[in-house]
Amino acid sequence: MTDWHPMLAAEENPPGVWTMLAPFDEPYGRVEIRRDGDHVFYRSWFRDTELVPKPTLRAATMLVHRAYIATLSPGPPPGGIYPNLKGGLGSST
């Protein structure tokens, strides 16, 4: 689905606070709109970790979603992600 964006996984309640929902409506993060004078920005959290503030809701929800996706992988395989053409896995150097 090329038009999907993590912002579609966000539910706004109360106004100005978006909760990011995983499958089965399990919350994994939130984004809040903030104002400092004329400056508007979005603070975001993945679980209990505060992330870097972003200038748009779109960017903030993407940041939270990428943090969530990163936790779904066990990490790179031992020896790196590039195949060793002499056999096995190894680094690209």
Side-chain angles (χ1 to χ4, degrees):
M1 192 165 143
T2 59
D3 295 326
W4 187 86
H5 188 276
M7 196 162 52
L8 296 173
E11 181 178 277
E12 185 180 15
N13 189 16
V17 178
W18 291 265
T19 302
M20 304 290 294
L21 300 172
F24 308 110
D25 294 329
E26 182 179 325
Y28 63 85
R30 78 179 187 281
V31 175
E32 297 178 1
I33 190 169
R34 300 292 181 157
R35 289 180 176 83
D36 184 12
D38 291 338
H39 178 66
V40 176
F41 61 97
Y42 295 83
R43 291 179 61 195
S44 56
W45 291 265
F46 171 66
R47 297 186 177 138
D48 291 330
T49 303
E50 186 171 358
L51 305 175
V52 178
K54 292 292 182 182
T56 65
L57 177 60
R58 184 177 177 89
T61 55
M62 180 62 82
L63 185 66
V64 175
H65 187 69
R66 286 184 177 158
Y68 171 66
I69 293 298
T71 66
L72 301 178
S73 170
I81 61 171
Y82 300 104
N84 179 343
L85 298 178
K86 295 179 182 177
L89 292 173
S91 68
S92 63
T93 57

